[in-house]
Amino acid sequence: MSSPAAPASHNSQQCLKMAARSLLFPIIIIIITSTTIIFTPPTLASQPLNHLSSKRAPRFLSKHSYPIKTQLEEQQQYRYESKYFYQQLDHFSFLNLPKFPQRYLINTDHWAGPERRGPIFLYCGNEGDIEWFAVNTGFVWEIAPLFGAMVLFPEHRYYGESLPYGSREEAYKNASTLSYLTAEQALADFAVLITDLKRNLSAQACPVVLFGGSYGGMLAAWMRLKYPHVAIGALASSAPILQFEDIVPPETFYNIVSNDFKRESTSCFNTIKESWDALVSEGLKKNGLVQLTKTFHLCRELKSTEDLANWLDSAYSYLAMVDYPYPSSFMMPLPGCPIREVCKRIDGCPDGTSILERIFEGISIYYNYTGELHCFELDDDPHGLDGWNWQACTEMVMPMSSSHNASMFPTYDFNYSSYQEGCWEEFGVIPRPRWITTEFGGQDIKTALETFGSNIIFSNGLLDPWSGGSVLQNISETVVALVTEQGAHHIDLRPSTPEDPDWLVEQRETEVKLIKGWIDGYLKEKKTAFSM
């Protein structure tokens, strides 16, 4: 495309130009104030967008995220060494399979050492490059000196540099090579790594506290339950461990996204809701896809309206996830309260501006806030997240649907048969939708956690659409929920900033107090046992 994508900071002249064109023709509960989307049958531009029964849950991380830092984040320096530990490819068999190097980041600058039983803070690596998560998890780095803690960030297998079979190409070659990409294997990696590290450092008596956000938060909670002898507690932030089977209503995620937009502007919500039909109508016209390519400043000619719909759908979902009260760049470089800014842009165009032109104005906040892009690519994977497609087609089956009235997205119901067909076409595997709840629990979670769980914090912000699949009420005195009305996706784990609202400061103080209680209790028990 020769014309640049409109920067998010440009003035209303662009809107005026668009309008002119359109005249010619989208709980302790503490309330502290590859292909991502499959459509079956394969749709054409001439078909409506409501054939979405096989749609997979949105990724936890945007495929279009870029490792661009805000000025504040550039000032934050986290010191660590990158090391490698050779892991078993399959922890649950005794086949002579090749090992692979698991990368981990380690910092011992503030560690009190084994003699003083200094704690070890282990962040459970997510579905991406571990350095990306390390620089976005400032909370762990900031509290480590308070506890005299070692900081450890192990990378999740098949992501970043932790690739079996010697290369990404070989690791992702087929279902056979990908078969060892599971949550169970990843948790075993973490357990083996920390056990070996503690042995080598004569630190067997040092307590381990787990941290994790999003999928990493799920892993942290599950690891505390599966390996209670390895870690004494876990902070699981924005961890939707209940987003499986029929534990929560499948429309929950998209209803929360939609409510986030509606709370900012009903007209913005309605424009987005109407835009899907407008998108289909434009695609049906002669040269309609060409016109959509121009309207949305795409780098390549659009092949179907579905591709563009997926791109828009993703942006709205991620905007809800990272609706932080201050500028950030976790997903993309964004202003504070980005949904508010998107709706200002959509609502602010002059009368006569078409729906799709308004949508482009709004979506530019997410995809081009810096104004540096000249055109948009609809498919990109800078952080190596393609492995999540495999996980979603095997054990991470999270049913999603979109309701007619509450959602601003096209209406659709989840259809497992279509979902299964799409996974078979892509990977040659059949999903196991009940395996996660069989392996880690989920049904009647209150009874399970109350009976067998302890020392877990489930923290959630209600602006985050994933909060609907998490634990939002206290289970026991030691399995607690911290819920914030204005919080977004694992905001408590992010680096502190001068713009942090009081409720966020208070939430982190509560988390520190709870973690201190775990460690003090552990050390007291050890001292008592030693005295005996």
Side-chain angles (χ1 to χ4, degrees), residues 87-301:
Q87 289 282 7
Q88 297 285 345
L89 184 59
D90 184 358
H91 291 285
F92 308 108
S93 80
F94 291 89
L95 294 173
N96 187 22
L97 298 172
K99 294 185 177 183
F100 73 94
Q102 179 187 23
R103 179 171 55 158
Y104 64 95
L105 314 180
I106 184 170
N107 177 290
T108 58
D109 289 352
H110 304 287
W111 188 38
E115 297 82 5
R116 297 172 59 189
R117 293 177 179 167
I120 299 172
F121 288 172
L122 186 152
Y123 181 92
C124 296
N126 300 52
E127 68 287 19
D129 189 299
I130 192 60
E131 289 189 326
W132 189 43
F133 294 104
V135 300
N136 281 284
T137 312
F139 178 68
V140 173
W141 298 100
E142 291 166 10
I143 68 171
L146 301 176
F147 289 91
M150 175 195 300
V151 176
L152 193 66
F153 277 79
E155 191 164 58
H156 194 297
R157 56 170 54 202
Y158 284 82
Y159 295 103
E161 296 182 10
S162 301
L163 297 170
Y165 300 105
S167 71
R168 180 180 178 81
E169 290 70 27
E170 287 298 314
Y172 282 69
K173 190 173 183 179
N174 53 43
S176 177
T177 59
L178 278 165
S179 63
Y180 304 102
L181 173 49
T182 68
E184 300 94 323
Q185 297 282 5
L187 291 181
D189 288 341
F190 299 156
V192 170
L193 170 65
I194 192 63
T195 301
D196 187 84
L197 184 66
K198 289 175 70 174
R199 183 184 303 113
N200 290 338
L201 296 173
S202 300
Q204 290 93 333
C206 293
V208 176
V209 177
L210 304 171
F211 297 81
S214 198
Y215 172 49
M218 298 162 73
L219 293 174
W222 290 336
M223 186 169 177
R224 169 60 185 157
L225 294 171
K226 301 293 282 189
Y227 296 95
H229 56 290
V230 173
I232 67 166
L235 169 53
S237 182
S238 299
I241 62 170
L242 306 181
Q243 195 74 49
F244 299 93
E245 293 190 66
D246 57 354
I247 301 174
V248 298
E251 65 272 13
T252 300
F253 181 94
Y254 283 112
N255 281 355
I256 295 176
V257 175
S258 301
N259 287 336
D260 287 351
F261 279 81
K262 183 177 280 188
R263 68 190 286 272
E264 294 295 349
S265 166
T266 301
S267 61
C268 176
F269 169 93
N270 289 332
T271 299
I272 296 172
K273 190 176 182 69
E274 295 167 7
S275 70
W276 309 108
D277 286 342
L279 181 61
V280 172
S281 297
E282 186 65 34
L284 286 170
K285 296 177 182 177
K286 184 179 180 180
N287 296 322
L289 295 180
V290 174
Q291 183 56 47
L292 287 172
T293 300
K294 293 179 180 178
T295 299
F296 287 90
H297 297 266
L298 306 181
C299 299
R300 296 180 177 85
E301 186 171 326

Side-chain angles (χ1 to χ4, degrees), residues 314-353:
S314 294
Y316 300 139
S317 299
Y318 295 126
L319 280 162
M321 288 169 61
V322 297
D323 198 18
Y324 301 133
Y326 48 73
S328 70
S329 62
F330 179 55
M331 294 292 190
M332 300 281 266
L334 291 171
C337 303
I339 289 181
R340 181 174 303 162
E341 298 304 314
V342 169
C343 285
K344 282 182 180 178
R345 186 60 58 79
I346 288 175
D347 292 342
C349 285
D351 293 342
T353 306

Side-chain angles (χ1 to χ4, degrees), residues 32 54 78 103 279 328 412 474:
I32 310 185
S54 64
Y78 303 122
R103 179 171 55 158
L279 181 61
S328 70
Y412 71 92
N474 292 341

Side-chain angles (χ1 to χ4, degrees), residues 40-51:
T40 304
T43 54
L44 304 174
S46 60
Q47 294 177 300
L49 294 174
N50 56 3
H51 295 283

